[in-house]
Each structure stands twice: as C-alpha cells, then as structure tokens.
C-alpha cells in the first residue's frame, strides 16, 4: 500500500475528508480526480475493501511508511493485519560523489548554491506545484540560488533549469550530486521517495511537514520542515542552509547516515523477512 487507495472508496489521498473511516459513498467530494470512479460505484468499492482486508481469509497489508500504516489502521480498526515495510533503495547507486563533476556533466556553474526540486509531475497541486512556484519567485527575488528540477513539466517552470522526466535511473544520482540541498513542497505525501534519494546522496532537506515525509526528512537532524503553504518559512529554510555551510554539511552527513541505517537494500529486505516470519510464510 503506497498511498491511501486501498483504505478508501477510490482516492489516493483524502485530504481533509474523513469519509474513508465511516463509509465512502456517492457524496465523495473528488470523484473525478485520479483515480476517478463513478460516484454510484464508490460505496461498493469501499465495502469491497473491507471484505478483502478484514474478516476470514483477509489479505495482509504491507505499507510503505508508518504514516500509511496509521491510515490503514484507522480505516480498518484492528480487523486488518497491517505492517510497515518502508521503502528502500540501492544505496550504492544513490551515494555522494563529486559535485564538480556532476555540475560539469549538467553544464551548471561550478560556484554558487544549487537547490534541486523534483516529482513525477511538478505542476501537480498534490506534489506542491502552487507552493513551489511561490517559493521559486521569492528565491529569484531575494536569494542567489540556482534551482534545477526533474519530472514532468520541470522544464516549463519559471526559475527552474528543468531536465524533464528522467527515464534512466543512473541519471538521478548525478542530478542530486550537482545540488547542495533539496526543496520538497508536497501537499500530500505517503513516504517521500525523492527525499530518500536526495538524502542517500548526502543532501540536506527543506520540506513540508506532511504525511510520511518526516520519516526521511527529520526535523533538526537532516531537514528543516515547514507547514504546507508557508512559503516564507520555506524560503527562510533554504536561505539558512544556503548561508550556513556547516549546517549544510552536518545535515547532509546525517541524511546519508539515516539512509544507510534505515533505508538501504539490506534494511528493506530485513523488513520483508520479518513480515514473512510473522505471517508464517516460507521465504524460499
């Protein structure tokens, strides 16, 4: 379970709506949003999930974060078997490397502070599009920070040197290593894969305090966290890291330590193994 879809009647993220706990139905406020569903079918979809994940023959749920687990537990009470299997990554691919080489490969200036932004679709509201535009406008006006980006629409956002949708994953560590910090401004977040990737490359983080993002971006350890919509606080956080090299380096080292300990391939595999053992499953 990598978002909230299996705990609701149809939506991937429920925002301020609490219907998923008591019963999603035709009164759903967002039936046309992804993943869309005819309102007349939503009540049956909500009930079907309760049949699949609770009761006799229930299917266990593995989630990508503690936050997503809590969503599932609120949705199903104690009738479902819910376990967290936090995401992991190849920490040997995503690792700190030469900043000067990365910038040279991307045709970026050798000197100066570079921030990176990225998501599947940077124009999407849920991924922080409106807030990010406000942050970029303020940075362009008040701070000398170069911003690079990846993901759909990144090449069309004012104030961002965008590299578009990245198909070859080997390109991602180059992008992260060209930067000094990451800005992440989603409205909803189940876990924060891009935060994990940036942290693995030793970047400090400035992010919104939403969903499961704080499981990677940890306040005052490797990240400055702000409320969603608080553009001034996010710009201030970026400015603090841009001006304080010692803080950047300390947060960056902590980012790498967190990934190596909690989100490596080995740590991810161990989580699956523990779950299989708990369920009495043969791992062979």
């Amino acid at each position: 379970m990598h978002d909230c879809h299996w705990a609701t009647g149809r939506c991937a993220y429920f925002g301020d709506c609490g219907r998923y706990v008591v019963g999603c139905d035709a009164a759903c406020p967002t039936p046309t949003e992804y993943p869309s569903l005819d309102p007349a079918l939503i009540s049956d979809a909500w009930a079907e999930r309760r049949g699949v994940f609770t009761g006799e023959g229930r299917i266990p749920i593995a989630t990508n974060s503690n936050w997503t687990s809590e969503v599932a537990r609120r949705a199903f009470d104690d009738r479902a078997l819910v376990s967290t299997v936090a995401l992991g990554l190849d920490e040997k691919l995503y690792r700190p490397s030469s900043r000067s080489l990365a910038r040279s490969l991307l045709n970026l200036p050798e000197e100066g502070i570079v921030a990176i932004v990225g998501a599947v679709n940077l124009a999407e509201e849920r991924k922080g599009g409106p807030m990010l535009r406000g942050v970029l406008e303020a940075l362009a006006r008040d701070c000398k920070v170069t911003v690079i980006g990846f993901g759909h629409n990144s090449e069309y956002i004012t104030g961002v040197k965008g590299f578009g949708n990245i198909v070859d994953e080997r390109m991602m560590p180059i992008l992260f290593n060209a930067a000094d910090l990451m800005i992440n401004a989603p409205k909803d977040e189940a876990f924060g894969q891009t935060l994990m990737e940036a942290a693995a490359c030793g970047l400090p983080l400035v992010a919104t305090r939403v969903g499961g993002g704080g499981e990677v971006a940890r306040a005052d350890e490797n990240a400055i966290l702000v409320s969603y919509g608080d553009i001034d606080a996010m710009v201030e956080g970026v400015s603090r890291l841009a001006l304080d090299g010692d803080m950047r380096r300390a947060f960056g080292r902590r980012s790498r330590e967190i990934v190596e300990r909690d989100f490596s391939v080995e740590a991810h595999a161990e989580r699956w193994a523990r779950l299989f053992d708990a369920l009495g499953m043969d791992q062979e």
Side-chain angles (χ1 to χ4, degrees):
M1 186 170 144
H2 68 273
D3 57 28
C4 307
H5 177 64
W6 296 117
T8 69
R10 50 142 292 277
C11 63
Y13 291 93
F14 48 81
D16 295 328
C17 180
R19 292 176 180 270
Y20 77 98
V21 177
V22 296
C24 297
D25 55 26
C28 172
T30 59
T32 60
E33 294 184 6
Y34 174 83
S36 62
L37 186 63
D38 184 329
L41 302 177
I42 291 175
S43 180
D44 287 345
W46 183 87
E48 182 181 30
R49 285 155 167 73
R50 273 70 199 158
V52 169
F53 298 118
T54 69
E56 187 176 356
R58 59 188 175 179
I59 296 175
I61 298 172
T63 74
N64 63 351
S65 71
N66 292 324
W67 179 84
T68 319
S69 285
E70 286 306 308
V71 169
R73 292 188 181 103
R74 285 196 299 271
F76 303 115
D77 299 322
D78 59 356
R79 297 170 295 156
L81 293 173
V82 181
S83 302
T84 301
V85 183
L87 294 184
L89 50 57
D90 183 349
E91 75 280 8
K92 293 182 174 61
L93 173 63
Y94 289 90
R95 60 183 178 83
S97 62
S98 170
R99 184 153 295 148
S100 60
L101 176 58
R103 291 190 180 186
S104 176
L105 291 171
L106 298 176
N107 195 28
L108 295 171
E110 176 77 23
E111 302 299 325
I113 297 297
V114 175
I116 188 169
V117 298
V120 173
N121 185 348
L122 275 176
E124 185 181 342
E125 180 179 4
R126 188 175 64 77
K127 291 298 183 181
M131 182 175 179
L132 183 60
R133 285 192 291 273
V135 170
L136 292 174
E137 289 173 5
L139 289 176
R141 184 174 61 249
D142 302 328
C143 304
K144 294 182 179 179
V145 176
T146 299
V147 182
I148 62 174
F150 61 89
H152 293 292
N153 293 301
S154 60
E155 62 269 50
Y156 306 118
I157 298 177
T158 302
V160 174
K161 178 179 174 60
F163 290 88
N165 184 46
I166 305 299
V167 177
D168 187 345
E169 190 176 9
R170 294 171 297 180
M171 181 68 175
M172 294 300 299
I174 297 174
L175 288 166
F176 286 122
N177 276 291
D180 297 285
L181 61 100
M182 182 175 198
I183 304 170
N184 190 246
K187 182 178 181 180
D188 298 297
E189 190 68 87
F191 174 71
Q193 181 173 332
T194 56
L195 289 170
M196 176 178 63
E197 292 168 351
C201 293
L203 292 189
L205 312 167
V206 183
T208 47
R209 189 184 290 104
V210 296
E215 293 173 39
V216 175
R218 302 177 185 179
D220 302 323
E221 286 191 55
N222 68 328
I224 296 173
L225 300 184
V226 305
S227 299
Y228 176 77
D230 194 339
I231 292 172
D232 290 342
M234 179 158 277
V235 172
E236 181 183 351
V238 173
S239 298
R240 282 180 62 195
L241 285 172
L243 294 171
D244 191 335
D246 290 340
M247 185 180 187
R248 275 200 318 276
R249 286 184 286 273
F251 274 28
R253 287 192 297 271
R254 184 61 180 142
S255 277
R256 179 63 187 182
E257 290 169 359
I258 288 170
V259 169
E260 288 181 341
R261 187 188 67 196
D262 297 337
F263 302 110
S264 65
V265 170
E266 183 177 357
H268 184 63
E270 288 176 353
R271 284 191 283 272
W272 277 114
R274 287 196 297 271
L275 176 57
F276 293 155
D277 284 342
L279 295 174
M281 297 173 64
D282 187 348
Q283 296 180 39
E284 296 181 0

